[in-house]
Amino acid sequence: EADIYQTPRYLVIGTGKKITLECSQTMGHDKMYWYQQDPGMELHLIHYSYGVNSTEKGDLSSESTVSRIRTEHFPLTLESARPSHTSQYLCASSRGLALHFGNGTRLTVT
Amino acid sequence: AQSVTQLDSQVPVFEEAPVELRCNYSSSVSVYLFWYVQYPNQGLQLLLKYLSGSTLVKGINGFEAEFNKSQTSFHLRKPSVHISDTAEYFCAVTSAGTGNQFYFGTGTSLTVIP
């Protein structure tokens, strides 16, 4: 079973703050992903990476940015948080065809 | 383009009764299909997957699913549910043609009633 860690689990911040959601995996997976999850909606892919120094935007437009300097680390940054960013953010990794997910970060922007 | 439709947003079922969670997909190419389960305040966990071969796939926790190419379906079944099966279930599809990007359904909330 893949080990993938997300911090923080819960975050409440004010509008305009800069935040970084952390995601790390210990399995050496090349592919990593960020999904946004809202109640009653499908998971939306917002960013993905196929390896170090590789990042792409997903299907859902997002004001966030990501970086992939190390294989195990794939942080997501919001330069200026807004209430519309309130959501659950799920990080995942894969080597083959199955995704392995972290426990998520639930973000609330007030 | 690929998409996944989960026909039931909520499914209540009594303990020890059978359950079927429905999933249909749309794709013009060969696909790989998955069911994930999400317990409260957790991420998604892989239940089972269909890549090729036998159309009946067995997964963890007594779940199984059947791939039906003609009906473009991948329904999830369990013959006897437990209270601990209460969770959100997501169907997902991917294919080589999409660069292995995954497309998820909107989820089915299974509630097992004692």
Side-chain angles (χ1 to χ4, degrees), chain B residues 24-66:
Chain B
N24 287 88
Y25 67 93
S26 65
S27 175
S28 59
V29 298
S30 295
V31 295
Y32 308 112
L33 294 155
F34 306 80
W35 275 99
Y36 285 85
V37 59
Q38 184 177 33
Y39 298 104
N41 299 317
Q42 294 187 23
L44 279 69
Q45 178 184 356
L46 181 66
L47 263 183
L48 49 79
K49 59 187 176 186
Y50 170 79
L51 303 181
S52 65
S54 173
T55 57
L56 184 63
V57 179
K58 293 189 183 297
I60 62 172
N61 301 341
F63 283 93
E64 63 181 31
E66 186 158 17

Side-chain angles (χ1 to χ4, degrees), chain A residues 9 37 42 50 97 99 102, chain B residues 34 36 38 41 43 99 102 104:
Chain A
R9 287 295 310 277
Q37 182 183 26
E42 63 265 40
Y50 285 169
L97 284 171
L99 292 172
Chain B
F34 306 80
Y36 285 85
Q38 184 177 33
N41 299 317
F102 289 79
F104 287 83

Side-chain angles (χ1 to χ4, degrees), chain A residues 64-102:
Chain A
S64 58
T65 59
V66 292
S67 63
R68 190 87 183 275
I69 299 172
R70 304 196 312 269
T71 297
E72 63 271 20
H73 195 212
F74 191 42
L76 181 146
T77 297
L78 278 167
E79 291 291 334
S80 179
R82 296 209 301 266
S84 60
H85 295 138
T86 294
S87 187
Q88 169 140 280
Y89 294 84
L90 293 173
C91 181
S93 70
S94 72
R95 174 170 287 153
L97 284 171
L99 292 172
H100 301 270
F101 284 87

Side-chain angles (χ1 to χ4, degrees), chain B:
Chain B
Q2 295 183 347
S3 66
V4 175
T5 302
Q6 291 185 243
L7 299 165
D8 306 298
S9 60
Q10 296 184 9
V11 173
V13 62
F14 286 104
E15 192 175 14
E16 298 183 6
V19 70
E20 178 180 81
L21 306 184
R22 296 180 292 170
C23 172
N24 287 88
Y25 67 93
S26 65
S27 175
S28 59
V29 298
S30 295
V31 295
Y32 308 112
L33 294 155
F34 306 80
W35 275 99
Y36 285 85
V37 59
Q38 184 177 33
Y39 298 104
N41 299 317
Q42 294 187 23
L44 279 69
Q45 178 184 356
L46 181 66
L47 263 183
L48 49 79
K49 59 187 176 186
Y50 170 79
L51 303 181
S52 65
S54 173
T55 57
L56 184 63
V57 179
K58 293 189 183 297
I60 62 172
N61 301 341
F63 283 93
E64 63 181 31
E66 186 158 17
F67 171 57
N68 188 318
K69 187 175 182 179
S70 63
Q71 297 186 5
T72 61
S73 68
F74 190 56
H75 300 334
L76 181 70
R77 301 186 184 99
K78 186 171 182 177
S80 175
V81 295
H82 302 289
I83 296 291
S84 58
D85 293 324
T86 294
E88 191 85 14
Y89 292 80
F90 291 90
C91 183
V93 64
T94 188
S95 72
T98 64
N100 291 331
Q101 286 197 34
F102 289 79
Y103 296 87
F104 287 83
T106 53
T108 297
S109 178
L110 174 65
T111 301
V112 180
I113 305 164

Side-chain angles (χ1 to χ4, degrees), chain A residues 7-79:
Chain A
T7 57
R9 287 295 310 277
Y10 304 93
L11 180 61
V12 180
I13 61 166
T15 298
K17 298 292 186 183
K18 177 181 178 179
I19 59 167
T20 296
L21 308 185
E22 301 288 349
C23 176
S24 295
Q25 49 97 3
T26 60
M27 302 306 290
H29 290 170
D30 290 328
K31 298 177 183 177
M32 296 190 73
Y33 311 80
W34 277 103
Y35 287 88
Q36 188 170 333
Q37 182 183 26
D38 295 300
M41 306 285 287
E42 63 265 40
L43 276 69
H44 287 292
L45 180 66
I46 51 176
H47 295 284
Y48 61 98
S49 167
Y50 285 169
V52 171
N53 294 326
S54 153
T55 61
E56 301 287 344
K57 287 187 178 293
D59 296 333
L60 182 66
S61 174
S62 173
E63 294 163 342
S64 58
T65 59
V66 292
S67 63
R68 190 87 183 275
I69 299 172
R70 304 196 312 269
T71 297
E72 63 271 20
H73 195 212
F74 191 42
L76 181 146
T77 297
L78 278 167
E79 291 291 334

